[in-house]
Amino acid sequence: MQILMSRMRAAMEKYNMIEDGDRIAVGVSGGKDSLALLYALSEMRRFYPKKYELTAVTADMKFFGEKTDFSEISALCERIGVSYTVKETELYHIIFETRKEKNPCSLCARMRRGILHDVTRELGCNKLALGHHMDDAAETFMMNLLSGGRIESFRPVTYLSRKDITMIRPMIFATEKEVLSAARKMSLPTVESPCPMDKTSNRNEMKELLKSLEKDFPALKEKIIGGMQKGEISGW
């Protein structure tokens, strides 16, 4: 966890992610990434020079029409002193049953973020923290390049003027391995996703491609991030 918090602090300070008095909603999906982010931000309240408040927010997609059991995450939030809100949605019904999307992942991500934006405002928070890490940033860069011919990735910090909130991604300097290690060491509870697209998405294919390329080009993901920083691409 110390390594993860060190990586997070470096990103938070480089991109001025947190200011005194911020009220931050942490988007919690139930996976290792968002839970590691939540736990680390909770711990960092004790020593980070900028003082901030935290709350956790989950958008329940209600897969197959059933509510997801987030009781273990609720218990974790109570233990670390963070309030927790679960917003029930009809995302699964809309995306998979009504629209029957053939490639649902992009639409799902946009709709979930929209819901998180709204709940963030409803809770009186001015920032939304998301659990994307370095691997996610590199994968997004490659997906945009190979599929859309665009040189870009998501931004470390994004201000949404229509919602008047700022999205921050404090784990962008941490690798997926470091995030996973921290989550395991802290025995963080995770909720297994019943999504029918799990492990079959374009992102998973890109993950495998990068893994293959790194056999010949070591530290490729770090080089992609470094290249975006040098080129000041997407606010990096």
Side-chain angles (χ1 to χ4, degrees), residues 109-174:
R110 290 198 304 273
M111 293 183 72
R112 276 191 293 114
R113 280 199 300 271
I115 291 168
L116 290 176
H117 298 162
D118 291 340
V119 177
T120 297
R121 290 302 303 162
E122 291 170 8
L123 293 173
C125 297
N126 64 311
K127 290 184 177 174
L128 171 64
L130 300 177
H132 297 120
H133 44 62
M134 180 186 293
D135 295 52
D136 293 322
E139 290 158 15
T140 300
F141 176 88
M142 293 294 289
M143 289 169 66
N144 286 331
L145 175 63
L146 300 181
S147 298
R150 305 190 310 276
I151 306 294
E152 63 182 20
S153 185
F154 52 69
R155 291 175 175 268
V157 176
T158 306
Y159 176 66
L160 306 173
S161 57
R162 288 194 302 170
K163 302 288 185 178
D164 191 28
I165 61 174
T166 300
M167 286 197 304
I168 61 175
R169 295 175 166 95
M171 298 200 303
I172 52 171
F173 288 165

Side-chain angles (χ1 to χ4, degrees), residues 22 24 39 43 50 55 58 65 67 69 81 101 118 126 133 138 143 147 154 179 190 192 195 209 213 216 220 235-236:
D22 278 346
I24 304 171
Y39 191 91
E43 288 292 292
K50 306 288 180 65
T55 187
T58 293
K67 295 181 184 179
D69 181 6
E101 292 282 329
D118 291 340
N126 64 311
H133 44 62
M143 289 169 66
S147 298
F154 52 69
V179 174
T190 58
E192 187 173 347
C195 178
L209 174 60
L213 288 172
D216 295 318
L220 178 58
W236 283 79

Side-chain angles (χ1 to χ4, degrees), residues 8-26:
M8 288 173 57
R9 182 163 186 164
M12 289 155 62
E13 292 181 350
K14 179 176 177 62
Y15 296 107
N16 299 312
M17 292 185 180
I18 294 178
E19 298 294 341
D20 274 317
D22 278 346
R23 298 194 65 193
I24 304 171
V26 181

